[in-house]
Amino acid sequence: MFRTHTCGELNLQSAGQEVTLSGWVQRIRDKGGLIWIDLRDRYGITQLMMEEGTSNPAVIAKAKELGREFVIQAKGLVIERISKNLKIPTGEIEIKVVEIKILNKSILPPFTIEDNTDGGEELRMKYRYLDLRRTPVRRNLELRHRMAIETRNYLDKQNFIEIETPVLIKSTPEGARDFVVPSRMNPGEFYALPQSPQTFKQLLMVAGYDRYYQIVKCFRDEDLRADRQPEFTQIDCEMAFVEQNDILETFEGLTKYLFSTIKGMNFPEPFPRMTYADAMKFYGSDKPDIRFGMKFVELTEIAKGKNFKVFDDAEIVVGICVPACADYTRKQLDELTEFVKKPQIGSKGLVYVKFNFDGTIKSSVDKFFDEADLKNWASKFDAKPGDLMLILSGNETPTLKALNEVRLEMGKRLGLRNPDTFAPLWVVDFPLLEWDEETKRFYAMHHPFTSPKPEDIGQLETNPGLVRANAYDLVINGVEIGGGSIRIFNKELQKRMFTILGFTDELAQAQFGFLMNAFEFGAPPHGGIAFGFDRFCALFGGSDSIRDYIAFPKNNSGRDVMIDSPATISDEQLKELNLKITFEPPKK
Amino acid sequence: MFRTHTCGELNLQSAGQEVTLSGWVQRIRDKGGLIWIDLRDRYGITQLMMEEGTSNPAVIAKAKELGREFVIQAKGLVIERISKNLKIPTGEIEIKVVEIKILNKSILPPFTIEDNTDGGEELRMKYRYLDLRRTPVRRNLELRHRMAIETRNYLDKQNFIEIETPVLIKSTPEGARDFVVPSRMNPGEFYALPQSPQTFKQLLMVAGYDRYYQIVKCFRDEDLRADRQPEFTQIDCEMAFVEQNDILETFEGLTKYLFSTIKGMNFPEPFPRMTYADAMKFYGSDKPDIRFGMKFVELTEIAKGKNFKVFDDAEIVVGICVPACADYTRKQLDELTEFVKKPQIGSKGLVYVKFNFDGTIKSSVDKFFDEADLKNWASKFDAKPGDLMLILSGNETPTLKALNEVRLEMGKRLGLRNPDTFAPLWVVDFPLLEWDEETKRFYAMHHPFTSPKPEDIGQLETNPGLVRANAYDLVINGVEIGGGSIRIFNKELQKRMFTILGFTDELAQAQFGFLMNAFEFGAPPHGGIAFGFDRFCALFGGSDSIRDYIAFPKNNSGRDVMIDSPATISDEQLKELNLKITFEPPKK
């Protein structure tokens, strides 16, 4: 037996007990006559002590051999500490050690294993098993575990049944790129890894399972942006005999349950709902951060016709009112102008209007607009003395997007994006289709199985860009946490959808025939949602980075630097798979 | 709103209520003046009724349009039934329908959707979404869901933390064949899908997570035998600071908890433990079915030297005593002889001895052995009048294996292998290594990370075949449900192990360097186990076939015939992956 207790459970009640602990040496303090060792395991830290004179000299000698991260077993007596540490549950006691056994030594770790480490990202990834020892990282994974437990508790109680869908499926041409898996037993053919269990969960509804969920790995072979992973986890759900509102209420319930059980936060009011059109109009984003205001105000009509060519030529003039920033200096305003001119934002310039604290008004376009004009703007903005109005102009879509960035930047500067404040929001009524200029065709905004709103179906062929979908996203603090839709459950409508997306009947049948055929055998109305579990955990943990909430993440090139993967495989493996690599590695 | 209630919840208490139900038409009975419809959903069946004269003629007309598997919505009044069906919870009421709406039609299903269907395996797999509608299949998946819930409940309470390990990992040359995934971003390189999260769970122990579990998909590219799947699910567990007995007790606890919560069966006694050596000696198998006796009895010494050449030339003479089968006819005994001569069993012949009910004794080798000899055998077997002794001889290993098959066959014939009886057993002390004649080298019997028994480590190089491992299997009813081991946690021992397995230092470092390096930074003693979740579910469900417990299984060629996968991918995809297919499809 390696231990009688963990390093997190002994306290004054245990005083006088003989105990055996096992764990890692976190710290050693050797003060001449006295030696203390902080012994660490997942459950906590317990202080061991030895004393010259009263402790066995062999034990003291053994203690002097120890180094950081050694794994030891220690036997001893629980005694009350003289100088107590009330910050930790074990802080009132220590173990007077009678025996120490080294279970395994440790060489010097490449970075310190403390809450704040001196290890850089690269190094910590290579030695991820050491990084995982650090308390903040362990807390992240514990949070993730608790979120999974509570998600299952809620959904189980709501009669959802967890069903595993296959990982080896079929590649489809729509959407992002698939990872594929060559089949040895079926030469020349490939499986694909699922980007989501979409078609399978719909088939489960056709099969009468009524309420399905799964916490499931999904895969996407994308060029990785800062915070994407090639494999990620979804809380994937589907319900039959539901309308949009049933789904929103059920998963608003899940979200509130998680906030309450995990964070102790209650949201008595229903989450606000906003149409996609309003989200774009008032926030320039389909995932507005509504922790703070500064809604967009359009000035196009009142700002044109005053000989300011920039506005006169613009499709839209639109701005935000930043509270209590009228005292921004020249330098600060120049910084903001530089900010909007950055290529990723792409504005040509920024117009500002200061509604000074003394009631006067001052703008960067005083040449073109008199005080009455500016006061008129200010009243449109509902501005108060001391506010700063920031205005962009240009073509509608890019201007709204740029103003979204300005709004988020100002929110950040004003400390309005507190990670401990949570503002959930449903965004609804997404467009069904998105036009792509490059390929000159429509793409499904969510996916090809999303149902158009019944009242818009008549316009599917005549005005596809205007058709709205029964699709919705759950946005919290400007982050898309979940998204879903009511699905098409009728074969003919599904075929029309594929035609609009440019599929020939043959291709649609070859790729999705199994689903369309299933719709002929009594498919119920159904819909669902999927939550990005990694991101949900990161949000609850107060972090922007999903990587901190994944035990073994990959880097931006999709590499696991710890195990050094991907890697080459043997010629024999390639031959068995009937494959040849066409890539010529650059000569060294 | 599609429904106020499900089809499983209404009863006499609801009489008088106006309700709306949605579901599938299971059956229609039209008796002239009266029409009954059985409406089905996941939760049950509720009877709808309409009556010529009192029901709206439009509703009756609509009912006459319906066919099996139509999806409908029905409104009506809950009334008490005249002829009650007390077998189902809703059997005391029916719904007097006032409105029917067809939500979706169904064409005629290719097989009947009833408990016993007329659909063959192939057809049911192609239309798996219809097969899944059948109650016995749904019950299997519901059982699986409950087993997953209770497994998590138990392990969560025991302080295990569920941590997701990566699916895109690295191919290793040891063990079964990997599925691989070409990396587009790292040309010429591949990920592999995990055969188990083995190395990651060990790293989690090195990282201090103490108790890990995961219900996780694993992958193996094998030529599929009858009941194997290329993707399968494990309950994967690992613990730090444990000895073998700690693990056996913890997971015996899990198994008993599942038996108790899922099947209402209690096992007050500890599960028996048997060494691998005894399992082979007394049952000819490392997974004995101990629901019944008929332990092997060796006769080698007393059966030799009587001029029966078959025995005299044999390495071993060994048999079983089948209770109360002395009245087996010539024909039955011939059948058994045919059975042992089948190529998959491969015996040359079978010797029988009948200990007749009248106390006389009769054998197929009376020419060589007199009554005293045979009585001597009978006493070795502890045979009673009426028993039948069946004896095989030959080289030891194949003879023991063949006798195992005879024993199982006799158990089956005697009805001793009842799927509702459960006999769990720990098999322990497996050999560490297995000699392979073909490649003339040792292979790890479990895997290369399994720890030898400390007392046997000295013989690792000198007598590797005799070294025993701290490895164990949980066997229930002759099925291996789980297996695991105490792991090596010392870099030097792990290196020795790889050397014995024929790895060069370079290869060992390239493949498993990350693990061996991790052992240098304070690795704790650890061990674990993995349960075959699909098989565990099948065992609890009383079935031999894991396929019945998987929502979307693949067939013996690894194909999903429903979605028709694997399939070819586009030339563009191949080009992006830097791959060329070398296989030439046969010309048609």
Side-chain angles (χ1 to χ4, degrees):
Chain A
M1 200 195 41
F2 282 102
R3 60 188 174 195
T4 55
H5 296 79
T6 69
C7 296
E9 61 182 312
L10 294 171
N11 54 38
L12 266 186
Q13 253 107 62
S14 336
Q17 267 184 263
E18 285 273 1
V19 298
T20 305
L21 301 182
S22 289
W24 285 262
V25 173
Q26 175 78 25
R27 229 155 29 122
I28 307 172
R29 276 160 301 151
D30 187 344
K31 305 246 171 180
L34 278 165
I35 301 178
W36 288 282
I37 299 171
D38 281 352
L39 190 68
R40 183 194 75 225
D41 66 11
R42 186 183 119 198
Y43 310 96
I45 283 180
T46 298
Q47 184 167 293
L48 312 179
M49 73 86 94
M50 282 135 288
E51 189 186 24
E52 212 100 44
T54 68
S55 292
N56 182 338
V59 173
I60 293 185
K62 182 69 86 177
K64 286 181 194 278
E65 286 175 35
L66 302 179
R68 279 189 173 229
E69 301 305 318
F70 273 46
V71 182
I72 65 168
Q73 185 184 42
K75 277 187 206 178
L77 194 70
V78 182
I79 58 173
E80 185 168 0
R81 266 203 227 178
I82 293 166
S83 108
K84 297 193 168 64
N85 174 359
L86 296 178
K87 283 186 207 144
I88 60 170
T90 62
E92 295 189 88
I93 56 98
E94 60 191 352
I95 312 296
K96 176 102 192 258
V97 177
V98 297
E99 198 182 323
I100 286 183
K101 193 171 161 188
I102 296 177
L103 299 174
N104 217 341
K105 295 183 181 192
S106 174
I107 59 174
L108 191 70
F111 49 85
T112 55
I113 297 174
E114 301 280 357
D115 288 8
N116 291 306
T117 178
D118 56 354
E121 167 92 6
E122 185 89 1
L123 201 61
R124 286 187 290 116
M125 280 301 161
K126 183 164 177 199
Y127 297 93
R128 180 64 172 169
Y129 47 87
L130 297 179
D131 200 29
L132 286 169
R133 282 186 191 167
R134 298 193 305 115
T135 304
V137 183
R138 199 193 65 236
R139 292 233 171 94
N140 291 348
L141 296 186
E142 287 171 348
L143 170 68
R144 186 179 176 116
H145 176 53
R146 284 206 314 283
M147 285 189 69
I149 290 178
E150 295 299 353
T151 297
R152 289 196 165 95
N153 282 347
Y154 176 87
L155 293 173
D156 291 341
K157 265 185 220 129
Q158 302 272 330
N159 264 325
F160 282 79
I161 167 168
E162 186 165 27
I163 297 178
E164 293 172 57
T165 53
V167 176
L168 297 171
I169 65 164
K170 189 160 83 166
S171 188
T172 60
E174 196 64 12
R177 236 183 247 105
D178 290 320
F179 282 107
V180 297
V181 181
S183 167
R184 182 181 54 87
M185 288 173 77
N186 302 275
E189 298 189 330
F190 293 75
Y191 302 100
L193 304 181
Q195 297 186 30
S196 96
Q198 184 63 33
T199 50
F200 290 95
K201 67 176 174 175
Q202 292 192 239
L203 289 173
L204 287 171
M205 295 304 103
V206 175
Y209 284 73
D210 208 71
R211 296 180 159 209
Y212 142 94
Y213 84 98
Q214 195 182 185
I215 301 185
V216 61
K217 275 280 174 75
C218 299
F219 307 86
R220 215 173 278 166
D221 183 12
E222 288 178 308
D223 300 314
L224 301 176
R225 277 183 267 147
D227 204 28
R228 287 277 180 96
Q229 287 282 315
E231 52 179 300
F232 54 96
T233 303
Q234 286 191 351
I235 307 172
D236 190 54
C237 306
E238 197 80 3
M239 304 169 80
F241 300 114
V242 287
E243 287 154 353
Q244 172 167 310
N245 194 53
D246 300 312
I247 297 185
L248 299 196
E249 284 186 357
T250 302
F251 292 96
E252 188 164 316
L254 169 64
T255 309
K256 287 180 175 181
Y257 177 81
L258 290 175
F259 269 117
S260 154
T261 53
I262 306 278
K263 311 242 0 139
M265 298 175 83
N266 292 305
F267 290 82
E269 297 298 316
F271 293 170
R273 297 181 187 184
M274 190 186 292
T275 64
Y276 172 87
D278 278 355
M280 295 310 291
K281 183 173 172 189
F282 295 119
Y283 298 93
S285 166
D286 60 359
K287 35 179 189 284
D289 184 347
I290 59 163
R291 276 175 296 186
F292 61 101
M294 302 192 220
K295 273 170 79 167
F296 294 4
V297 172
E298 198 182 326
L299 302 175
T300 318
E301 288 204 5
I302 58 172
K304 284 195 175 206
K306 303 279 171 154
N307 295 322
F308 181 44
K309 200 168 174 325
V310 174
F311 283 2
D312 288 350
D313 291 350
E315 214 171 86
I316 194 171
V317 181
V318 61
I320 56 171
C321 176
V322 186
C325 282
D327 55 358
Y328 255 42
T329 61
R330 180 82 237 167
K331 194 175 157 226
Q332 285 175 304
L333 291 164
D334 284 349
E335 263 173 34
L336 284 182
T337 305
E338 286 314 304
F339 175 82
V340 303
K341 283 181 172 172
K342 284 198 298 184
Q344 56 273 46
I345 298 187
S347 266
K348 296 226 178 75
L350 177 73
V351 168
Y352 69 79
V353 182
K354 288 177 168 185
F355 193 172
N356 291 316
F357 288 95
D358 62 7
T360 63
I361 210 154
K362 170 86 188 84
S363 84
S364 56
V365 287
D366 283 354
K367 248 192 278 179
F368 304 97
F369 301 93
D370 60 21
E371 195 179 335
D373 289 329
L374 298 177
K375 287 256 156 134
N376 190 15
W377 295 9
S379 97
K380 267 263 184 189
F381 274 113
D382 211 3
K384 282 176 284 298
D387 289 354
L388 171 71
M389 288 155 268
L390 300 173
I391 297 156
L392 296 181
S393 62
N395 285 339
E396 184 167 336
T397 306
T399 303
L400 291 171
K401 281 191 178 172
L403 191 58
N404 168 48
E405 298 295 339
V406 175
R407 178 177 172 272
L408 293 177
E409 173 68 17
M410 295 314 296
K412 195 170 86 185
R413 290 185 179 214
L414 296 178
L416 302 171
R417 299 177 69 189
N418 178 353
D420 295 327
T421 303
F422 294 93
L425 168 73
W426 288 107
V427 178
V428 297
D429 296 357
F430 275 81
L432 182 69
L433 300 160
E434 229 174 354
W435 179 255
D436 181 59
E437 258 311 312
E438 205 178 312
T439 51
K440 301 277 177 207
R441 53 160 277 205
F442 279 105
Y443 283 86
M445 195 146 182
H446 272 70
H447 51 57
F449 314 108
T450 300
S451 177
K453 284 195 178 283
E455 60 268 34
D456 292 0
I457 288 182
Q459 297 188 81
L460 259 181
E461 285 79 11
T462 51
N463 215 339
L466 286 188
V467 174
R468 291 165 307 156
N470 269 326
Y472 34 81
D473 278 357
L474 177 64
V475 174
I476 306 180
N477 295 1
V479 177
E480 184 198 323
I481 291 298
S485 63
I486 296 297
R487 325 299 184 187
I488 296 169
F489 67 108
N490 170 287
K491 182 174 183 171
E492 290 315 310
L493 183 56
Q494 188 65 68
K495 274 179 81 169
R496 272 169 78 186
M497 187 68 187
F498 280 125
T499 304
I500 289 162
L501 295 173
F503 282 63
T504 62
D505 280 2
E506 292 68 37
L507 184 62
Q509 190 60 36
Q511 292 290 340
F512 298 109
F514 62 96
L515 185 66
M516 289 193 287
N517 294 346
F519 287 170
E520 292 199 298
F521 293 100
H526 62 286
I529 195 166
F531 289 82
F533 187 56
D534 310 290
R535 197 161 299 286
F536 213 168
C537 294
L539 179 90
F540 266 47
S543 163
D544 288 335
S545 163
I546 63 171
R547 226 173 269 186
D548 298 342
Y549 293 80
I550 294 174
F552 299 100
K554 294 185 174 58
N555 75 8
N556 279 352
S557 320
R559 292 199 74 81
D560 181 328
V561 296
M562 178 185 72
I563 64 169
D564 194 22
S565 162
T568 53
I569 58 175
S570 70
D571 290 343
E572 199 184 329
Q573 278 175 295
L574 284 170
K575 202 176 149 197
E576 278 194 326
L577 296 170
N578 301 286
L579 287 180
K580 206 178 131 179
I581 294 171
T582 59
F583 167 78
E584 294 278 335
K587 285 191 181 107
K588 278 170 192 166
Chain B
M1 198 195 44
F2 282 102
R3 60 189 175 194
T4 55
H5 296 78
T6 69
C7 296
E9 63 182 310
L10 294 170
N11 55 36
L12 266 187
Q13 252 107 60
S14 336
Q17 266 184 265
E18 284 273 0
V19 299
T20 304
L21 300 182
S22 288
W24 285 262
V25 173
Q26 175 78 23
R27 229 157 29 122
I28 307 173
R29 277 160 300 152
D30 187 345
K31 304 247 170 178
L34 279 165
I35 301 179
W36 288 281
I37 299 171
D38 281 351
L39 191 67
R40 183 195 74 227
D41 67 11
R42 186 182 120 197
Y43 311 95
I45 283 180
T46 298
Q47 182 167 295
L48 311 179
M49 72 84 96
M50 284 136 286
E51 187 184 28
E52 211 97 47
T54 68
S55 291
N56 182 339
V59 173
I60 292 185
K62 182 69 86 177
K64 286 178 194 281
E65 285 175 38
L66 302 179
R68 278 189 174 230
E69 301 305 318
F70 273 45
V71 182
I72 65 169
Q73 183 184 42
K75 276 187 205 177
L77 194 70
V78 182
I79 57 174
E80 184 167 359
R81 264 202 227 179
I82 292 164
S83 106
K84 296 193 168 67
N85 174 357
L86 296 179
K87 284 185 208 147
I88 59 171
T90 62
E92 295 190 90
I93 56 99
E94 60 191 351
I95 313 296
K96 177 104 192 254
V97 178
V98 298
E99 200 182 320
I100 286 183
K101 194 171 159 186
I102 297 176
L103 298 174
N104 216 342
K105 295 183 181 188
S106 174
I107 58 174
L108 190 71
F111 50 85
T112 56
I113 297 173
E114 302 279 357
D115 288 8
N116 290 307
T117 178
D118 56 354
E121 168 91 7
E122 185 88 1
L123 201 61
R124 285 187 290 114
M125 280 303 163
K126 181 162 179 201
Y127 296 92
R128 181 66 172 168
Y129 46 87
L130 297 179
D131 200 29
L132 287 168
R133 283 186 191 167
R134 298 194 305 115
T135 305
V137 183
R138 197 191 68 235
R139 292 232 171 95
N140 291 348
L141 295 186
E142 286 170 349
L143 169 68
R144 186 180 177 114
H145 176 52
R146 285 204 316 281
M147 285 189 68
I149 290 177
E150 295 299 352
T151 298
R152 289 195 164 94
N153 281 347
Y154 177 87
L155 293 172
D156 291 341
K157 264 183 222 132
Q158 301 273 331
N159 265 325
F160 283 79
I161 167 168
E162 186 165 27
I163 297 178
E164 294 172 55
T165 53
V167 175
L168 297 172
I169 65 164
K170 189 161 82 165
S171 189
T172 59
E174 195 65 12
R177 236 183 248 105
D178 289 321
F179 283 106
V180 297
V181 181
S183 166
R184 181 180 55 85
M185 288 172 77
N186 302 276
E189 297 188 332
F190 294 75
Y191 302 100
L193 304 182
Q195 297 184 30
S196 95
Q198 185 62 35
T199 50
F200 290 96
K201 68 176 175 176
Q202 291 192 242
L203 289 174
L204 286 171
M205 294 304 102
V206 174
Y209 284 74
D210 207 71
R211 297 182 158 207
Y212 143 93
Y213 85 98
Q214 194 181 185
I215 301 185
V216 62
K217 275 278 173 77
C218 299
F219 307 86
R220 214 172 278 166
D221 183 13
E222 289 177 308
D223 299 313
L224 300 176
R225 277 184 267 146
D227 205 29
R228 288 278 181 96
Q229 289 281 315
E231 53 178 299
F232 53 98
T233 304
Q234 285 190 351
I235 307 172
D236 190 54
C237 307
E238 197 80 2
M239 303 170 80
F241 300 114
V242 288
E243 287 153 353
Q244 172 168 308
N245 195 50
D246 300 311
I247 297 185
L248 299 196
E249 283 185 358
T250 302
F251 292 96
E252 188 164 318
L254 169 64
T255 308
K256 287 181 174 180
Y257 178 82
L258 290 175
F259 269 118
S260 154
T261 53
I262 305 278
K263 312 235 10 133
M265 297 174 84
N266 292 304
F267 290 81
E269 297 299 316
F271 293 171
R273 297 182 188 183
M274 190 186 291
T275 64
Y276 172 87
D278 278 354
M280 295 311 290
K281 183 174 171 191
F282 295 119
Y283 298 93
S285 165
D286 60 358
K287 35 180 191 281
D289 184 347
I290 59 164
R291 277 174 296 186
F292 60 100
M294 303 191 220
K295 273 170 79 168
F296 295 5
V297 172
E298 199 184 324
L299 304 177
T300 316
E301 289 204 5
I302 57 172
K304 284 196 175 204
K306 304 278 172 159
N307 294 321
F308 182 43
K309 198 168 175 330
V310 175
F311 283 2
D312 288 349
D313 292 350
E315 212 172 272
I316 195 171
V317 181
V318 61
I320 57 172
C321 175
V322 186
C325 284
D327 55 358
Y328 254 42
T329 61
R330 181 82 237 167
K331 195 176 155 225
Q332 285 174 305
L333 291 164
D334 285 349
E335 262 174 36
L336 284 181
T337 306
E338 287 313 304
F339 175 82
V340 303
K341 284 183 172 171
K342 283 197 298 184
Q344 57 272 46
I345 298 186
S347 267
K348 295 225 178 78
L350 177 74
V351 168
Y352 70 78
V353 181
K354 288 177 167 183
F355 193 174
N356 293 315
F357 288 95
D358 62 9
T360 63
I361 209 152
K362 169 89 188 81
S363 83
S364 56
V365 287
D366 284 351
K367 250 192 275 182
F368 304 96
F369 302 92
D370 60 22
E371 196 179 334
D373 288 329
L374 299 176
K375 287 254 155 130
N376 190 15
W377 296 8
S379 97
K380 268 262 181 192
F381 276 113
D382 211 5
K384 282 176 283 297
D387 288 354
L388 171 70
M389 289 155 268
L390 299 174
I391 297 155
L392 297 181
S393 62
N395 286 339
E396 183 167 337
T397 306
T399 303
L400 291 171
K401 281 191 178 171
L403 191 59
N404 168 49
E405 298 295 337
V406 175
R407 177 177 173 273
L408 293 176
E409 172 67 18
M410 294 315 296
K412 197 170 85 185
R413 287 183 182 214
L414 295 178
L416 301 172
R417 301 177 67 190
N418 178 353
D420 295 327
T421 302
F422 294 92
L425 168 73
W426 288 109
V427 178
V428 298
D429 295 356
F430 276 82
L432 183 68
L433 301 159
E434 228 174 356
W435 178 256
D436 182 58
E437 258 311 312
E438 205 177 316
T439 52
K440 301 277 175 208
R441 55 162 276 207
F442 280 106
Y443 284 86
M445 194 144 182
H446 272 70
H447 52 57
F449 314 108
T450 300
S451 177
K453 284 197 178 282
E455 60 268 34
D456 291 0
I457 287 181
Q459 299 189 83
L460 259 182
E461 284 80 9
T462 52
N463 215 339
L466 286 188
V467 173
R468 291 165 307 154
N470 270 326
Y472 33 81
D473 278 357
L474 177 63
V475 174
I476 306 181
N477 295 0
V479 177
E480 183 199 324
I481 292 297
S485 63
I486 296 297
R487 325 298 184 186
I488 296 169
F489 67 109
N490 169 287
K491 184 176 182 170
E492 290 314 311
L493 183 56
Q494 188 65 68
K495 274 178 81 171
R496 272 169 78 187
M497 186 68 186
F498 281 125
T499 305
I500 290 162
L501 295 173
F503 282 63
T504 62
D505 280 1
E506 293 68 38
L507 186 61
Q509 190 59 36
Q511 291 291 341
F512 297 109
F514 62 96
L515 185 66
M516 288 191 290
N517 294 346
F519 288 169
E520 293 200 299
F521 293 101
H526 61 286
I529 195 167
F531 289 83
F533 188 55
D534 309 292
R535 199 161 299 284
F536 213 168
C537 294
L539 179 90
F540 266 47
S543 164
D544 288 335
S545 164
I546 63 171
R547 223 173 272 186
D548 298 342
Y549 293 80
I550 295 173
F552 299 101
K554 294 185 175 56
N555 73 10
N556 279 351
S557 321
R559 293 199 73 82
D560 181 329
V561 295
M562 179 186 73
I563 65 169
D564 194 22
S565 162
T568 54
I569 58 173
S570 70
D571 291 344
E572 199 185 327
Q573 277 174 294
L574 284 170
K575 202 176 150 196
E576 277 194 326
L577 296 171
N578 301 286
L579 287 180
K580 207 177 129 181
I581 294 171
T582 59
F583 166 79
E584 294 277 335
K587 285 191 181 108
K588 279 171 191 163

